[in-house]
């Protein structure tokens, strides 16, 4: 529905946006982090000097955990946040850009290359990007990172990879294993008599913590020499140590030492150059595998087909069979969790599971060795194709919000399934069925460039005259309308119309007519928009179905923009009845915005505010920042027109903040600019320059939740200086980074100390301090400290 508002005085839908500010997405650490203080400090220091730091090392050495901990400690040093990009499930090199766009939560309606979208989005942002598991797409990662650091000067990159990226200016640092006691029987005995939990040997501390967790009791002092020998045998590799610790439920550390020595001694690897640590890890994984029951082994191998996280019902649907009954899968998943083979997290109230990358590769090898890989990959495809088509069939219904959230959660698996279809001979038609089903996902997340790429690939791969092809052509035309590529959109629509007639399918024909309304709206032809929708609604199969709510929403918008407010209200009321009948809400939010425009145009500002707030509540439920920003623009204009210029000023500041964080300000169309400019002049005239700036600054300081709460009517504590008749609040001329530097100066830090804390160079700090002195008209750091004390942020 977002495409319908490109002429509705709202931000251009080619605008990339992000749904949270300040960055996000660092995975939750499910277990304690042991040791690594020196390593953390080393990596932080490296990031203060180099734009790109790559952590290398063998699988299982702890690259990801170290990167996560460094990123967590540096959150406050990056004003636009820290973003974690998990590339472990990226096998298709061409998909890297789309994966990064998705991870950054960029909503982009254009047909630009994903790398261009990413670099444009990051251009003026101060961000730390954590690229995890780059080795599978190392060349593509290097190209993207090179582009980012050249065009986004305030972005820094922390990458993990088993090999260096060879990026310009890259600092490579090999992650060492955890330290263990020296190989000396006397030192082992001395160690046993000392405090076994000493942080001097974090490998042993890690083993002790994990073993105590699975046993329910700490290890006895007398077994610590064996623990030391075991950790040495495992080369201090965290993953191997954690897998071994789980086995203390059945074996003593002495038994584990003997078992691993026998195993490693007999271990053969085709790679004669493989280092000892590789063999140690392989032995640990082998033993963990052999300690699993045959059914647990089978499930371990089969869940390796998932791309990242999966749900229990997906595991049951994909992995079960005669040899693995569905009712046993839950118990087997619990067993693999207990053995630290699977990890778990909760997402929107539902448990999700995944294999660590090293264990997933091991499982996939086992699956391949059994000859079952091809069958399981097809079952994975079938499961997610059924999921996509079920969503498409039920989208206009009461489970719409649940479907929206599930598709966001499962999209990596959907992407992997589509790639299988379009890269495997004979499976191309299934690829068209996917692209016929996923339009609502691409609309809801703003991933127009990726959606168009999949549609064009699928349509080119299979030309059979099927309903899936006709629907995919309609979907392509819809995306082209959002991208304002009207020629390509009309071509796809005409082919879809022809195919619908050939198939004698009136519903497909009506859908093709309806997408003509989207194209007409995109070119500003509201008469044609209304005509196309009425023609589509003349089809009984379409008018009697749930999809008609989309057409009624377009009619609400088109009539409102045209100034035909009575017709806009009539169309809106019909859309509202669909909501009551079907439970559909996503389109209703856009219909509410259309109704708000009609009320505003008619001078009914109080009603406009009411309808806009209703739209914002729904947009918040669906995590739809496009809807939020659109509604907020109408809300601030209506609020100003209603005479509450003080509140409108705060809303204007919140909108500017959204524009800044979501990257939408430069793409606002002329009508939107004129509307907001008029409201801004009215607000400024009503408040005066100083109070206006203070109120706008208040709104700009909101985070997303605060901004939405305030827009929905939450009261703000008045600015006492501005509203009590005293001197207005002094505007802050500093940028967020300059403010941050000023506050650290107030804490007595030197330029070198500030540089280390903010992960920037001392020369950059010196420049910021100079700017602060100049902007504030001050002459010393002491004066800066006094000013920062008065104006510091909470």
């Amino acid at each position: 529905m977002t495409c319908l508002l490109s002429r509705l005085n709202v931000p251009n839908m080619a605008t990339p946006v992000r749904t949270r500010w300040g960055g996000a997405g660092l995975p939750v650490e499910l277990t304690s982090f042991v040791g690594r203080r020196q390593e953390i400090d080393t990596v932080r220091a490296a990031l203060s000097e180099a734009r790109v730091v790559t952590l290398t090392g063998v699988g299982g050495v702890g690259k990801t955990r170290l990167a996560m901990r460094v990123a967590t400690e540096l959150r406050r040093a990056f004003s636009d946040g820290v973003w974690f990009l998990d590339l472990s499930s990226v096998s298709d090199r061409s998909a890297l850009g789309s994966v990064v766009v998705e991870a950054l939560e960029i909503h982009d309606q254009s047909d630009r290359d994903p790398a261009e979208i990413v670099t444009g989005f990051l251009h003026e942002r101060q961000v730390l990007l954590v690229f995890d598991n780059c080795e599978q797409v190392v060349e593509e990662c290097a190209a993207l990172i090179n582009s980012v650091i050249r065009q986004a000067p305030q972005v820094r990159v922390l990458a993990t990879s088993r090999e260096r990226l060879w990026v310009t200016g890259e600092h490579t640092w090999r992650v060492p294993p955890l330290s263990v006691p020296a190989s000396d029987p006397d030192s082992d005995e001395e160690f046993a008599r000392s405090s076994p939990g000493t942080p001097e040997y974090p490998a042993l501390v890690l083993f002790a913590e994990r073993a105590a967790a699975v046993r329910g009791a700490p290890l006895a002092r007398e077994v610590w020499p064996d623990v030391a020998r075991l950790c040495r045998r495992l080369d201090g590799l965290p993953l191997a140590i954690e897998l071994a610790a789980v086995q203390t439920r059945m074996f003593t550390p002495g038994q584990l030492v003997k078992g691993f020595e026998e195993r490693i001694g007999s271990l053969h690897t085709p790679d004669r150059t493989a280092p000892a640590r590789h063999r140690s890890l392989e032995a640990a994984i082998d033993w963990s595998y052999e300690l699993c029951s045959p059914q647990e082994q089978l499930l371990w191998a089969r869940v390796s087909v998932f791309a990242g996280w999966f749900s229990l019902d997906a595991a049951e649907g994909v992995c079960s069979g005669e040899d693995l009954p569905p009712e046993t899968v839950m118990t087997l998943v619990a067993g693999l969790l207990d053995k630290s083979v699977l990890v778990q997290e909760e997402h929107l109230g539902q448990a999700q599971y995944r294999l660590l990358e090293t264990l997933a590769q091991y499982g996939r090898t086992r699956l391949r060795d059994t000859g079952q890989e091809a069958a399981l990959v097809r079952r994975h495809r079938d499961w997610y194709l059924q999921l996509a088509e079920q969503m498409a069939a039920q989208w206009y219904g009461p489970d719409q919000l649940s479907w929206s959230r599930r598709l966001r959660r499962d999209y990596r698996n959907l992407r992997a399934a589509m790639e299988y279809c379009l890269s495997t001979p004979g499976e191309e038609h299934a690829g068209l069925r996917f692209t016929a089903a996923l339009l609502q996902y691409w609309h809801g997340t703003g991933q127009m460039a990726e959606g168009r790429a999949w549609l064009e690939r699928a349509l080119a791969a299979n030309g059979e005259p099927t309903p899936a092809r006709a629907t995919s052509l309609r979907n392509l035309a819809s995306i082209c309308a959002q991208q304002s590529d009207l020629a390509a959109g009309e071509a796809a629509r005409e082919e879809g119309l022809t195919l619908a007639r050939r198939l004698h399918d009136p519903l497909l024909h009506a859908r093709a007519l309806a997408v003509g309304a989207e194209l007409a709206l995109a070119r500003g032809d509201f008469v044609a928009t209304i005509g196309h929708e009425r023609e589509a609604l003349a089809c009984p199969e379409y008018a009697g179905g749930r999809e008609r709510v989309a057409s009624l929403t377009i009619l609400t918008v088109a009539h409102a923009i045209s100034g035909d407010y009575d017709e806009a209200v009539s169309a809106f009321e019909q859309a509202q009845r669909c909501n009551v009948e079907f439970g559909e809400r996503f389109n209703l939010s856009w219909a509410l915005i259309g109704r708000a425009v009609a009320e505003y145009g008619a001078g009914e500002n109080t009603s406009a505010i009411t309808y806009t707030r209703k739209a914002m509540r729904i947009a918040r439920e669906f995590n739809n920042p496009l809807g939020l920003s659109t509604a907020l623009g109408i809300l601030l204009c209506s609020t100003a027109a209603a005479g509450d210029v003080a509140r409108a000023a705060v809303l204007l500041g919140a909108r500017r903040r959204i524009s800044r964080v979501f990257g939408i300000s430069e793409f606002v169309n002329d009508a939107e600019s004129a509307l907001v400019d008029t409201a801004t002049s009215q607000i400024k005239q009503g408040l005066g320059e100083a109070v206006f700036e203070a109120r706008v600054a208040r709104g700009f300081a909101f985070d997303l939740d605060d901004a939405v709460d305030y827009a929905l009517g939450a009261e703000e504590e008045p600015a006492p200086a501005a509203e009590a008749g005293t001197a207005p609040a002094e505007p802050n001329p500093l940028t967020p980074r300059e403010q941050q530097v000023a506050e650290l100066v107030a804490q007595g830090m030197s330029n070198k100390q500030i540089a280390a804390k903010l992960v920037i160079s001392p020369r950059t700090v010196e420049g910021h301090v100079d700017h602060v002195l100049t902007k504030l008209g001050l002459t010393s750091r002491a004066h800066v400290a006094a000013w920062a004390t008065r104006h510091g942020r909470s």
Side-chain angles (χ1 to χ4, degrees):
M1 190 57 235
T2 56
C3 64
L4 305 181
L5 299 175
S6 58
R7 295 296 185 271
L8 195 156
N9 300 330
V10 297
N12 185 301
M13 293 307 146
T15 300
V17 301
R18 192 175 64 211
T19 58
R20 293 176 293 214
W21 39 94
L26 281 176
V28 175
E29 293 184 301
L30 301 176
T31 55
S32 60
F33 187 84
V34 175
R36 300 291 200 193
R37 185 66 257 171
Q38 183 177 350
E39 290 92 333
I40 291 170
D41 292 341
T42 299
V43 176
R44 288 185 60 161
L47 273 170
S48 70
E49 299 294 333
R51 295 279 308 283
V52 180
V53 175
T54 303
L55 307 182
T56 64
V58 65
V61 79
K63 300 183 293 294
T64 297
R65 289 296 298 270
L66 178 58
M68 286 167 53
R69 179 49 60 104
V70 170
T72 299
E73 292 194 4
L74 292 177
R75 276 179 182 271
R76 293 175 62 85
F78 292 88
S79 59
D80 290 302
V82 175
W83 292 86
F84 185 86
L85 312 171
D86 179 9
L87 308 181
S88 60
S89 61
V90 181
S91 56
D92 174 24
R93 295 175 182 271
S94 64
L96 174 65
S98 296
V99 169
V100 175
V101 168
E102 178 190 16
L104 293 177
E105 300 186 20
I106 303 173
H107 292 233
D108 190 278
Q109 313 294 79
S110 72
D111 58 355
R112 295 180 296 162
D113 180 75
E116 183 183 351
I117 293 172
V118 170
T119 54
F121 181 75
L122 295 171
H123 176 63
E124 295 182 352
R125 285 172 169 76
Q126 184 191 43
V127 168
L128 173 64
L129 300 178
V130 182
F131 283 80
D132 189 43
N133 289 300
C134 296
E135 57 270 1
Q136 298 185 105
V137 283
V138 64
E139 293 180 5
E140 290 71 18
C141 278
L144 178 59
I145 291 170
N146 258 326
S147 178
V148 166
I149 62 175
R150 290 177 188 278
Q151 299 183 47
Q154 298 187 84
V155 171
R156 300 211 171 208
V157 174
L158 178 59
T160 74
S161 177
R162 296 190 188 183
E163 58 180 297
R164 69 175 300 171
L165 303 181
W166 296 101
V167 173
T168 304
E170 175 187 21
H171 178 100
T172 303
W173 193 75
R174 181 171 290 277
V175 177
L178 297 174
S179 61
V180 297
S183 179
D184 180 352
D186 291 335
S187 68
D188 286 346
E189 298 305 322
E190 177 66 27
F191 180 74
R193 290 190 293 272
S194 66
S195 172
T198 173
E200 183 180 355
Y201 300 117
L204 279 66
V205 176
L206 176 65
F207 184 93
E209 286 191 6
R210 301 301 188 261
V214 299
R215 297 170 70 251
L219 294 172
R221 183 180 296 273
E222 57 267 21
V223 306
W224 277 88
D226 288 331
V227 172
R229 283 189 284 271
L230 178 62
C231 290
R232 274 199 304 271
R233 173 50 77 191
L234 298 176
D235 293 294
L237 288 172
L239 177 58
I241 290 169
E242 295 206 31
L243 291 173
V246 172
Q247 299 177 24
T248 59
R249 187 181 298 163
M250 298 170 286
F251 302 100
T252 67
Q255 290 173 313
L256 291 175
V257 171
K258 182 179 179 181
F260 274 103
E261 287 178 345
E262 292 174 352
R263 182 172 299 279
I264 291 175
S266 63
L267 187 64
H268 299 285
T269 173
D271 184 359
R272 297 179 182 275
T273 66
R277 290 194 182 107
H278 281 286
R279 296 195 294 273
S280 297
L281 181 60
E282 186 176 347
I285 298 175
D286 273 340
W287 196 341
S288 291
Y289 182 80
E290 290 172 15
L291 288 173
C292 292
S293 69
Q295 285 194 316
E296 287 174 338
Q297 292 176 353
L298 193 58
L299 185 63
W300 179 346
R302 289 182 177 180
V303 297
S304 68
V305 300
F306 289 103
W309 296 98
F310 59 90
S311 60
L312 180 61
D313 62 339
E316 291 170 346
V318 173
C319 303
S320 63
E322 292 183 3
D323 51 355
L324 199 67
E327 61 271 15
T328 67
V329 171
M330 182 171 67
T331 302
L332 297 175
V333 165
L336 293 177
L337 283 170
D338 288 342
K339 296 177 175 65
S340 295
V341 175
L342 288 175
V343 294
Q344 175 183 339
E345 75 167 10
E346 186 175 304
H347 182 84
L348 296 174
Q350 183 177 23
Q352 295 284 290
Y353 311 94
R354 73 177 175 90
L355 290 164
L356 295 177
E357 178 58 23
T358 303
L359 302 185
Q361 292 175 355
Y362 182 93
R364 195 63 173 259
T365 299
R366 290 283 184 168
L367 184 64
R368 191 174 298 122
D369 290 344
T370 65
Q372 296 182 3
E373 183 182 26
L376 262 293
V377 172
R378 280 195 300 274
R379 291 183 65 177
H380 176 272
R381 186 276 313 277
D382 292 343
W383 170 266
Y384 285 100
L385 178 56
Q386 180 186 24
L387 180 76
E389 292 184 329
Q390 186 180 0
M391 181 279 299
Q394 298 179 6
W395 176 253
Y396 297 98
D399 296 326
Q400 191 177 58
L401 181 58
S402 296
W403 278 117
S404 174
R405 291 172 173 173
R406 174 150 194 179
L407 287 182
R408 289 173 186 267
R409 187 181 69 227
D410 289 347
Y411 189 65
R412 287 197 172 188
N413 280 295
L414 289 161
R415 182 189 281 126
M418 282 191 288
E419 181 58 37
Y420 167 78
C421 293
L422 298 180
S423 59
T424 304
E427 303 290 345
E428 298 87 356
H429 178 65
L432 270 177
R433 288 171 60 189
F434 269 113
T435 56
L438 288 175
L439 179 66
Q440 301 302 338
Y441 172 83
W442 293 318
H443 274 322
T445 61
Q447 305 299 332
M448 294 297 103
E450 177 172 2
R452 181 169 179 174
W454 285 116
L455 282 158
E456 290 177 340
R457 276 185 69 186
L459 288 164
N462 187 289
E464 295 179 14
T466 61
R469 181 175 182 82
T471 303
S472 293
L473 286 165
R474 185 279 306 267
N475 293 351
L476 178 59
S478 179
I479 287 179
C480 288
Q482 294 203 34
Q483 295 175 333
S484 296
D485 188 351
L486 303 182
E490 289 291 355
R493 173 180 175 266
E494 285 299 325
E495 184 179 349
L497 274 171
T498 300
L499 181 54
R501 295 188 191 103
R502 179 179 174 183
L503 294 172
H504 305 288
D505 191 320
L507 181 57
L508 290 176
H509 187 264
R511 288 172 177 167
L513 292 172
V515 84
E518 296 182 43
L519 290 160
L521 186 62
R523 64 175 179 267
D525 188 344
F526 306 121
V527 173
T529 300
I530 295 167
H532 284 309
E533 290 296 7
R534 286 177 173 169
E535 191 176 0
L537 289 168
C539 169
E541 290 82 356
Y542 184 79
R546 298 185 174 192
E547 289 179 76
R548 71 178 185 272
V549 67
S551 290
L552 294 171
T553 302
I554 294 178
L555 286 173
T556 303
V557 171
H559 284 304
I561 300 174
S562 302
D564 192 344
Y565 304 133
D566 289 341
E567 288 294 330
V569 170
S570 175
F572 168 76
E573 289 176 346
Q574 294 179 67
Q576 198 169 36
R577 284 195 290 272
C578 288
N579 167 248
V580 173
E581 182 180 355
F582 308 142
E584 198 281 341
R585 291 176 59 77
F586 186 81
N587 283 279
L588 178 65
S589 69
W590 292 102
L592 284 162
I593 290 175
R595 176 66 186 269
V597 171
E599 296 296 321
Y600 177 68
E604 299 293 338
N605 297 306
T606 301
S607 294
I609 292 170
T610 298
Y611 286 114
T612 304
R613 287 175 173 171
K614 289 181 179 179
M616 293 186 76
R617 290 188 181 94
I618 298 174
R620 172 188 259 182
E621 288 179 1
F622 280 89
N623 194 25
N624 179 12
L626 292 174
L628 289 173
S629 61
T630 300
L632 189 56
I634 299 170
L635 180 62
L636 77 89
C637 294
S638 302
T639 302
D644 192 351
V645 290
R647 190 176 191 86
V650 178
L651 293 170
L652 178 62
R655 183 178 181 277
R656 288 180 178 178
R657 177 65 168 161
I658 290 175
S659 296
R660 153 72 179 149
V661 175
F662 292 173
I664 64 176
S665 57
E666 63 186 289
F667 296 100
V668 176
N669 59 42
D670 292 341
E672 168 81 356
S673 297
L675 191 71
V676 174
D677 286 347
T678 299
T680 301
S681 297
Q682 178 186 354
I683 297 166
K684 190 178 297 185
Q685 183 178 1
L687 293 176
E689 188 73 31
V691 177
F692 170 81
E693 292 294 341
R695 299 290 291 177
V696 170
R698 169 61 179 156
F700 191 83
F702 284 149
D703 65 18
L704 181 56
D705 283 336
D706 287 341
V708 176
D709 286 343
Y710 186 80
L712 293 178
E715 292 302 321
E716 172 201 21
E717 184 68 25
E723 297 187 8
T726 59
E730 178 184 347
N732 185 350
L734 304 184
T735 66
R737 177 58 99 188
E738 290 165 351
Q739 174 77 35
Q740 200 172 24
V741 169
E743 291 172 358
L744 295 176
V745 168
Q747 296 175 25
M749 288 189 178
S750 66
N751 285 359
K752 185 175 182 180
Q753 290 171 320
I754 295 173
K757 182 172 182 62
L758 299 184
V759 200
I760 57 180
S761 68
R763 185 184 297 273
T764 300
V765 175
E766 184 179 349
H768 284 314
V769 173
D770 287 342
H771 293 158
V772 170
L773 291 169
T774 300
K775 288 184 176 182
L776 299 179
L778 304 177
T779 58
S780 71
R781 295 172 74 92
H783 292 157
V784 171
W787 183 93
T789 300
R790 294 195 310 270
H791 297 81
R793 296 174 295 185
S794 59

